[in-house]
Amino acid sequence: MKKHLITTEWNEDDFNRMFLPGIAIDAVIFGFHDQRLMVLLLQYKNTNAFALPGGFIMKHENGNDAAQRILKDRTGLSNIYLEQFYTFADISRHDTSFFKKIMKARGMKPTKNHFLLNRFISIGYYALVDFTKAVPTTDLLADECKWHDLKELPPLIQDHQQIIQKALSTLRQDLDIKLVGFNLLPETFTIGDLQNLYETILDTKFLRTSFQRKILNLGILKMVDKKMTGAAHKAPYLYKFSTK
Amino acid sequence: MKKHLITTEWNEDDFNRMFLPGIAIDAVIFGFHDQRLMVLLLQYKNTNAFALPGGFIMKHENGNDAAQRILKDRTGLSNIYLEQFYTFADISRHDTSFFKKIMKARGMKPTKNHFLLNRFISIGYYALVDFTKAVPTTDLLADECKWHDLKELPPLIQDHQQIIQKALSTLRQDLDIKLVGFNLLPETFTIGDLQNLYETILDTKFLRTSFQRKILNLGILKMVDKKMTGAAHKAPYLYKFSTK
């Protein structure tokens, strides 16, 4: 079993010796599967509560490195594409009822100075991963780490619903400006795959011919091969993203 | 003289009783004047060091409310238009040499546990204010608070140069998507004023006719009056931003 950086028994001082106090990172990890946009969530047994994967920044660690470390722990993937999108710092997010519930469900004592019961601000990152390559992995407190359809989300703790919505609206904005969508696809893909992805994220439909023209005109795709389907005359071309 | 929330003699514990530990806010306050984009900076005597206005989040305060409070302290303005754009959390920003210099220049002792010498992450906000209404006001440590031309910035402490660049690139992106530019103008303005503003922020030139057509087609401007110039036949129309 994986050794965790932290134990559930830590009080405030234990925590503060290793991590920056009062600062969390929450990650909205997007995957694309079966024409659905998926998000990775942790579940806690006996609580019916779901949460975004997250973690903390070590005393001698850059914030962005902490985010990469946390994402690697939850997906097994290195060098994940990620964007920091917003820092959530409302007092109202300091709702400890959920953590008290989990701690009790695990036979832990929610002592007054337990680090989980402090006020945290949370730096939100969204990540785009290749669904076929990620290996969802639980953390210290969770019982399960699974993909969920963004359109059928379970009840989420604290402001995690709001964090996901903000991540999605940022992703939609970034899709054109930064052309980030490719990170959700395998290395090679057809224009049809790409159109499905755009349509799913933006929740809209495009005309096949105009989508194809617009994307090819950007000059960022490189044709690599024909997809082998058995029906040669129908085989669509495979492309990959071509970095300058 | 304005009473400050904080004193320069505070150690870590004093600070942590009132504020969230290790979290700062830095504000890039933009103003538009004389066809130049200006930014508000603090200066410290005998140091030749300049810095963005900033502050901290109180224990029972929302992050965004703290930003509004800090902006009001530095400009005298309430309900400022602001956008949180990025949280800076690199270790390299933990460069205390500047604070030690200031403290010495003021006859203060840079004791080991002085709160200013801790590692801080900083939540970056940019603010758009009406240049004619803002009243720049110094903070506890600074000797001067003044507007500077964005194109002629003095030497800045820590990562403040990087924070300004990121604020500017976000503002440029937001200009079209969120139509935020109006916040930099007085309540009424001509299409020419608006074009100057866009050209200055985006550092580019537009054709007068096509800019006018594009902006008027958005349907967000309301004609209010003719500008009185004495030459009636040349007087341009005055507009104001029309919220739906």
Side-chain angles (χ1 to χ4, degrees):
Chain A
M1 191 181 159
K2 194 178 175 314
K3 198 173 150 279
H4 292 287
L5 281 174
I6 198 168
T7 89
T8 51
E9 306 300 326
W10 277 15
N11 66 25
E12 236 176 287
D13 291 338
D14 298 326
F15 180 89
N16 293 351
R17 260 190 292 277
M18 182 171 260
F19 298 103
L20 299 185
I23 303 167
I25 284 178
D26 280 307
V28 182
I29 307 176
F30 289 115
F32 185 60
H33 178 63
D34 212 4
Q35 307 203 23
R36 290 178 303 166
L37 195 57
M38 314 290 279
V39 61
L40 206 58
L41 296 178
L42 299 167
Q43 191 189 4
Y44 305 87
K45 262 180 208 156
N46 305 325
T47 61
N48 195 31
F50 292 77
L52 290 167
F56 311 103
I57 304 173
M58 288 192 280
K59 282 224 175 285
H60 302 287
E61 187 179 35
N62 290 324
N64 291 342
D65 294 338
Q68 284 286 358
R69 172 176 54 75
I70 291 162
L71 286 164
K72 189 176 181 186
D73 285 350
R74 298 286 76 72
T75 64
L77 301 175
S78 301
N79 298 316
I80 289 181
Y81 180 87
L82 57 83
E83 289 277 349
Q84 190 206 104
F85 63 94
Y86 197 78
T87 294
F88 299 84
D90 276 1
I91 306 169
S92 60
R93 72 187 314 277
H94 185 212
D95 167 11
T96 56
S97 59
F98 158 73
F99 288 112
K100 284 182 180 160
K101 220 159 103 182
I102 295 183
M103 289 165 86
K104 280 176 187 162
R106 297 192 158 256
M108 291 158 57
K109 266 195 189 151
T111 48
K112 208 185 162 193
N113 69 342
H114 193 284
F115 78 94
L116 279 174
L117 304 180
N118 273 341
R119 177 179 174 187
F120 279 88
I121 70 161
S122 182
I123 309 177
Y125 285 83
Y126 79 75
L128 305 179
V129 304
D130 179 348
F131 182 90
T132 62
K133 287 192 182 149
V135 182
T137 309
T138 58
D139 72 0
L140 177 68
L141 281 171
D143 298 290
E144 192 183 276
C145 181
K146 271 193 176 171
W147 291 105
H148 292 257
D149 188 334
L150 197 64
K151 291 200 165 167
E152 290 165 14
L153 291 179
L156 291 154
I157 68 159
Q158 294 179 320
D159 55 356
H160 288 201
Q161 176 74 45
Q162 185 198 344
I163 294 177
I164 292 174
Q165 285 314 312
K166 183 91 178 166
L168 179 62
S169 66
T170 311
L171 170 61
R172 285 177 170 166
Q173 232 180 67
D174 288 350
L175 205 57
D176 276 329
I177 302 170
K178 298 181 192 161
L179 303 158
V180 296
F182 305 98
N183 295 290
L184 287 163
L185 293 175
E187 203 188 346
T188 62
F189 46 83
T190 67
I191 301 280
D193 294 336
L194 197 58
Q195 181 167 349
N196 281 337
L197 174 71
Y198 270 66
E199 289 181 342
T200 303
I201 295 176
L202 298 173
D203 204 10
T204 186
K205 291 280 172 196
F206 298 109
L207 275 176
R208 196 169 161 277
T209 46
S210 61
F211 182 84
Q212 177 156 348
R213 189 177 56 240
K214 204 176 149 190
I215 285 289
L216 290 178
N217 280 347
L218 292 174
I220 49 167
L221 294 188
K222 192 179 158 192
M223 196 185 295
V224 281
D225 206 354
K226 274 218 163 201
K227 193 172 179 178
M228 292 306 138
T229 61
H233 61 290
K234 276 191 168 177
Y237 287 107
L238 278 177
Y239 290 87
K240 68 178 188 182
F241 180 57
S242 141
T243 48
K244 280 167 207 170
Chain B
M1 191 180 160
K2 194 178 175 313
K3 199 174 149 281
H4 293 286
L5 281 173
I6 199 168
T7 90
T8 51
E9 306 301 326
W10 277 16
N11 67 25
E12 234 175 289
D13 291 338
D14 297 326
F15 180 88
N16 293 350
R17 260 191 291 279
M18 182 171 261
F19 297 103
L20 299 186
I23 303 167
I25 284 177
D26 280 308
V28 182
I29 307 176
F30 290 115
F32 184 62
H33 177 63
D34 211 5
Q35 306 203 25
R36 291 179 302 166
L37 195 57
M38 313 290 279
V39 61
L40 206 58
L41 296 178
L42 298 168
Q43 191 189 4
Y44 305 88
K45 262 179 207 157
N46 306 323
T47 62
N48 195 31
F50 292 77
L52 290 167
F56 310 102
I57 304 173
M58 287 192 279
K59 282 226 175 283
H60 302 287
E61 187 179 36
N62 291 323
N64 291 342
D65 293 339
Q68 284 286 358
R69 172 176 54 75
I70 291 162
L71 287 165
K72 189 175 180 186
D73 284 351
R74 297 285 77 72
T75 64
L77 301 175
S78 301
N79 298 315
I80 288 181
Y81 179 86
L82 58 82
E83 289 277 348
Q84 190 207 104
F85 63 94
Y86 198 76
T87 294
F88 299 83
D90 276 1
I91 306 169
S92 60
R93 72 188 314 278
H94 184 211
D95 167 11
T96 56
S97 58
F98 160 73
F99 288 112
K100 284 181 180 161
K101 219 159 105 182
I102 295 183
M103 289 165 86
K104 281 175 186 161
R106 296 193 158 256
M108 290 159 57
K109 267 194 190 151
T111 48
K112 207 184 162 194
N113 68 343
H114 193 284
F115 78 94
L116 279 175
L117 304 179
N118 273 340
R119 177 178 174 188
F120 279 88
I121 70 162
S122 182
I123 309 177
Y125 285 84
Y126 78 75
L128 306 179
V129 304
D130 179 346
F131 182 89
T132 61
K133 287 191 181 150
V135 182
T137 309
T138 58
D139 71 0
L140 177 67
L141 282 171
D143 298 292
E144 191 182 276
C145 180
K146 270 194 178 170
W147 290 105
H148 292 258
D149 188 333
L150 197 65
K151 292 200 165 169
E152 293 166 12
L153 290 180
L156 291 154
I157 67 159
Q158 293 179 320
D159 54 355
H160 288 201
Q161 175 73 45
Q162 184 198 345
I163 295 177
I164 292 175
Q165 285 315 311
K166 182 90 179 167
L168 179 62
S169 66
T170 311
L171 169 60
R172 285 177 171 165
Q173 230 180 69
D174 288 350
L175 205 58
D176 275 330
I177 302 171
K178 299 182 191 162
L179 302 159
V180 297
F182 304 98
N183 295 289
L184 287 163
L185 294 174
E187 202 187 347
T188 62
F189 46 84
T190 67
I191 301 282
D193 294 335
L194 197 57
Q195 181 168 348
N196 281 337
L197 175 71
Y198 269 68
E199 289 181 343
T200 303
I201 295 177
L202 298 173
D203 203 12
T204 186
K205 291 280 170 196
F206 298 108
L207 275 177
R208 196 170 161 277
T209 47
S210 62
F211 181 85
Q212 176 156 349
R213 190 177 53 242
K214 203 176 148 190
I215 285 290
L216 290 178
N217 279 348
L218 293 173
I220 48 167
L221 294 187
K222 194 180 157 192
M223 196 186 293
V224 282
D225 206 353
K226 276 218 163 200
K227 193 173 181 179
M228 291 305 135
T229 62
H233 61 290
K234 276 191 169 179
Y237 287 106
L238 278 177
Y239 290 87
K240 69 178 187 182
F241 181 57
S242 140
T243 47
K244 279 165 206 169

